[in-house]
Structures are given as structure tokens and as C-alpha cells.
Amino acid sequence: MIGTGYVGLVSGACFSDFGHSVVCVDKDAGKIDRLHQNIMPIYEPGLDTLVASNVKAGRLSFTTDLAEGVKDADAVFIAVGTPSRRGDGHADLSYVYAAAEEIAAALTKPAVIVTKSTVPVGTGDEVERIIARIAPDKGITVVSNPEFLREGAAIEDFKRPDRVVVGVEDEASAEVMREIYRPLSLNQAAPVLFVGRRTSELIKYAANAFLAVKITFINEIADLCEQVGADVQQVARGIGMDNRIGPKFLHAGPGYGGSCFPKDTLALMKTAADNDTPVRIVEATVQVNDARKRAMGRKVIKAMGGDVRDKKIALLGLTFKPNTDDMRDAPSISIVQALEDAGAKVHAYDPEGEEQARPLLPNVTFCTGPYEAAEGADALVIVTEWDEFRALDLKRMKTILNQPLLVDLRNIYPPQLARDAGLEIVSVGKPAQAMTQPQGELAGSAA
């Protein structure tokens, strides 16, 4: 496994837990040293335990020596970063191609090189050309095997996936991949879907783009709900019960972020433009989502009467989603910028994201818990729906806040519950004054 980032480390640990012998390779000696001490470079629930148990069993090891790592390998997975390139948003494939060159030179027997990194259509063809130039007679083939892991639930996703997509161009490579993923069948997991390599590469981008569209759609419906007096949670439930639509990714909020959706939508747009087939829906999604993040900052300012200069605002949650420390393209960044630009003083608490957030939000005061953040604040804003924010003592919040205002950007709390605690609440996609009893019952059942 070349690369010990999010995809490489989780995949390597899970493969070893299946019983495979896995060597994870990374050029970052400091990262490898920390992994030898079972210090994870990312926060992912259960990952440290999984890594430790498989290292102890002798199935998982770490090294900076690529040649030693790939020696005698039947398959080598490339799981290096493909960040958005400055200027055009296209995926930067320099790390993938560099890894392919090193692997081709180091392999000593026939093997399958598997691109696990998210790469544009045609990347496998280029990797194949690199191998043909460097090691034409080693019997090396190229496979696409994109990942579909959700941060915070990656181990479960890997072991019990909806599907495994494998892009192959020859039967021998397909057989190797069948054997690698054979243990999944013991869990009665979803089937391995074998397709052409270019199809596999496009499936990954199409899946993430569709989910980004779905999130952005319900966010725009939320705005409409606020204007017409409807409840977006009930709308989402009503449309999500249609099996053709489904309930997932219909949770209105401050917009999507993270390492995948922003990067992959831009890369898909670039690929489509290069092939004269623009994806207008995806283009609109990207524009709407970017605007929405900062609009959430303005929503807080409006809820506070339009003037936040020198006022203290408490933010709960900074990471783009719960159960991760990932701050990449997190909505909180734009929200904080909007609040600070308006003169507010921001205090924040996140259970895992502080270390990643500090360099991105240098003017924020970081706190050790939700009540410390809320002490003396003129508004309490929920930005990320961590579990520990789901049952806050709202009556206690009422006593420690300077102004009893809760801006719930994740719709965690039914409005009546907050009002019963003496708080004014502003939600996303909710009518200004919710109905009393029926509203509470429905909101509770949908939460």
C-alpha cells in the first residue's frame, strides 16, 4: 500500500484484518515512526486498535523503503494524494505517476498495480504507459479500484461496503482482485462489480458528484422552506420515503466540505470541459455550495439583529462532519471568516478538530468544552453535529449565555424544545414559528 493517508492506512489495516500480508509505504519518515508507536496520523474511530492488533499478528508493517515494501507483492495499491491543482481544479496526478515509476522499477515479478487514489478518467492508461516505458517485460498490469469510504465510518464501510468497483482490462488481473476481496463474501457483503478501467474511474467521480448535488438540492429547498413556512426536515422525510430518491444525504445544513466532494466535483468539471461535455448541474452545485457556506455566517449575523461588532459568538463543531479531524473545505472556515469580517469575536470547541483548525482560524479562541465556549456568548451556533452536542443542557445554556440565542445549523434540536428551555432558536429550513405538538412529534421522529 503506497501512501499512509486516509485511504491507504484504512485500506491497509482492513486488508490485513482479512488475513492478507500488507506493507504500508510512505516517504514521510516521521509518519512511519509514529505509526510504529501506534500513533495515527488521522482521527478515525477504531483505527488505532485495528492497526495495533494486525501489527501484533505480523500481518501489517510500515516502511519508508518502497523497493523493500513491494518486493514479492502480488498487488501494489497506489493510495497517494490527488489534490486539486492550482488554476484549473484538475487533480494533481504527479504523486500517482511518481509512485507508478518507482513501483515499476522496483517490482521483481509479475504483479497488479491498483490505483486506489481518486483519479480522472484515463489515468490508468497513463500508468500503463509509464510501466511499458520502465518495465515492459515484467508482466505488470494496471487496475482501477476506487474507494468509497466515509470519514468517521471508514472501517465499517470497507468491511461491509455497498459495492466494490474494480476496473480491469484482462482476466488475470480480475482473478487477483477476486482473491483479494474474497473475504468480503464471508460477511455476505455486496458484490464486487467488475467493469472497464475507464468506467471504474468515472464511477467514483459520478458518485461523489451526485451526492454533492443531492446535498445542495436539499439546502436550496431549505431556503425555500424558510420563505414559505414549510419544514425542510419533513420535506426531506416526505421525499426520502420514495425509494427512487432515498433518505440519505437529504439533511439540510451549512454545505458540504471535506477531502472528497469539493475536490472531486472540480476534477469532474475539468474532465467534462476537456471533452466538450460540460456538466452544468455539477457546476451549479459547486457555485451554490461555495456561496452557502458564507451565507451561513450572514444567517448568524441576521439572527443577532444585523450587528455583531465586538460581540462574542460560540461555535460548536469545526470539522466538516463529526467523527473526523478533517478541516478541509469545512463550512466553519467560511462562517468564521464572515463573522470575524463583521467584527465578532469567535470562541469555538471541537472534540477532535482543534489541532487542524488552529492554523486555519488563527483569531479564534479555542475552548475545552461546549459550556466553556458558551459562557457569556451573545449567540451559540451549532456547526457540526458531534454526538456530544445532541443532548446539551439547554436550560444551563440559557443561564450562561449573555443572550439566549441558539443558531442550529444542523437542525439537531426541535424548535419547541429550545423554546421550552428559554432559548430563541434559529434553524435551517424551518418556519419562523413552528407548530406546537405535531411539529415536535414529527421533528423527533425524523431526527
Side-chain angles (χ1 to χ4, degrees):
M1 188 68 63
I2 311 302
T4 59
Y6 193 88
V7 174
L9 185 56
V10 171
S11 300
C14 288
F15 277 139
S16 65
D17 209 45
F18 287 161
H20 296 309
S21 178
V22 178
V23 180
C24 288
V25 180
D26 202 291
K27 290 182 178 294
D28 187 337
K31 183 185 287 188
I32 295 298
D33 287 342
R34 290 188 292 275
L35 284 168
H36 282 143
Q37 301 170 56
N38 204 46
I39 300 172
M40 300 298 106
I42 56 172
Y43 174 75
E44 178 65 31
L47 183 59
D48 53 351
T49 303
L50 187 69
V51 168
S53 64
N54 284 286
V55 168
K56 183 178 180 180
R59 294 187 295 265
L60 179 63
S61 60
F62 303 98
T63 182
T64 57
D65 188 339
L66 185 142
E68 181 64 27
V70 305
K71 186 175 66 174
D72 300 326
D74 297 302
V76 181
F77 286 76
I78 298 176
V80 297
T82 54
S84 294
R85 197 166 60 192
R86 286 181 179 272
D88 62 5
H90 200 64
D92 182 350
L93 299 174
S94 57
Y95 302 109
V96 172
Y97 295 151
E101 290 184 6
E102 286 192 59
I103 295 164
L107 281 170
T108 57
K109 70 181 190 67
V112 177
I113 293 181
V114 187
T115 52
K116 198 76 174 159
S117 304
T118 300
V119 295
V121 177
T123 301
D125 298 350
E126 182 60 30
V127 171
E128 201 168 59
R129 283 190 284 271
I130 290 170
I131 292 164
R133 172 170 53 84
I134 294 175
D137 303 317
K138 289 186 178 180
I140 302 170
T141 55
V142 179
V143 167
S144 167
N145 178 215
E147 56 83 20
F148 299 95
L149 307 178
R150 294 170 299 160
E151 293 187 39
I155 294 170
E156 178 70 14
D157 284 352
F158 193 97
K159 292 189 171 185
R160 292 169 181 80
D162 294 328
R163 79 294 198 198
V164 175
V165 176
V166 180
V168 296
E169 299 298 327
D170 64 280
E171 181 53 36
S173 297
E175 189 56 39
V176 171
M177 298 303 291
R178 285 192 191 97
E179 183 59 27
I180 289 173
Y181 280 106
R182 182 185 57 78
L184 283 177
S185 64
L186 303 179
N187 295 326
Q188 296 183 326
V192 179
L193 175 64
F194 285 92
V195 296
R197 197 166 57 209
R198 283 179 165 242
T199 299
S200 172
E201 291 167 341
L202 186 54
I203 284 172
K204 169 66 176 181
Y205 282 108
N208 277 355
F210 187 85
L211 294 176
V213 169
K214 200 172 181 183
I215 291 169
T216 305
F217 173 82
I218 201 64
N219 283 340
E220 290 204 310
I221 293 297
D223 291 343
L224 181 58
C225 284
E226 291 177 12
Q227 296 303 312
V228 301
D231 185 325
V232 73
Q233 286 182 303
Q234 294 179 29
V235 171
R237 192 177 181 208
I239 65 176
M241 293 171 78
D242 185 327
N243 289 331
R244 296 169 300 174
I245 297 172
K248 294 183 178 179
F249 288 82
L250 287 178
H251 302 287
Y256 63 76
S259 62
C260 293
F261 289 0
K263 173 174 67 71
D264 294 351
T265 47
L266 289 176
L268 179 61
M269 286 162 51
K270 178 64 168 59
T271 298
D274 288 347
N275 288 276
D276 295 323
T277 54
V279 282
R280 302 299 188 199
I281 292 174
V282 180
E283 291 173 8
T285 294
V286 171
Q287 293 168 1
V288 171
N289 188 68
D290 287 345
R292 182 168 189 81
K293 295 176 185 179
R294 198 162 180 92
M296 292 298 101
R298 295 194 297 272
K299 184 181 182 74
V300 175
I301 294 169
K302 181 180 178 182
M304 297 177 68
D307 183 9
V308 297
R309 186 161 301 280
D310 296 325
K311 291 185 178 180
K312 175 182 174 180
I313 300 175
L315 263 57
L316 299 187
L318 295 171
T319 54
F320 87 95
K321 64 181 288 188
N323 297 322
T324 180
D325 60 353
D326 197 340
M327 284 292 299
R328 285 174 286 187
D329 283 296
S332 62
I333 298 172
S334 296
I335 293 170
V336 169
Q337 288 173 344
L339 297 177
E340 290 181 342
D341 286 349
K345 296 175 289 186
V346 177
H347 292 231
Y349 166 68
D350 189 281
E352 293 293 338
E354 181 177 337
E355 183 178 347
Q356 301 294 329
R358 278 189 177 276
L360 300 172
L361 305 172
N363 298 317
V364 167
T365 300
F366 290 89
C367 303
T368 59
Y371 300 101
E372 179 189 332
E375 187 74 43
D378 296 291
L380 178 67
V381 184
I382 298 176
V383 181
T384 311
E385 68 277 31
W386 285 89
D387 284 349
E388 67 178 271
F389 303 152
R390 291 177 178 267
L392 295 170
D393 185 339
L394 297 185
K395 290 183 178 178
R396 179 182 174 188
M397 284 294 184
K398 165 69 165 58
T399 65
I400 64 176
L401 285 166
N402 186 46
Q403 298 293 330
L405 173 62
L406 170 62
V407 182
D408 184 0
L409 299 182
R410 296 292 183 174
N411 288 343
I412 292 175
Y413 291 97
Q416 194 59 47
L417 184 68
R419 295 189 186 107
D420 289 345
L423 294 173
E424 177 189 350
I425 184 169
V426 175
S427 305
V428 173
K430 298 275 188 177
Q433 290 294 326
M435 294 182 296
T436 54
Q437 185 61 28
Q439 169 71 15
E441 289 176 354
L442 282 172
S445 63

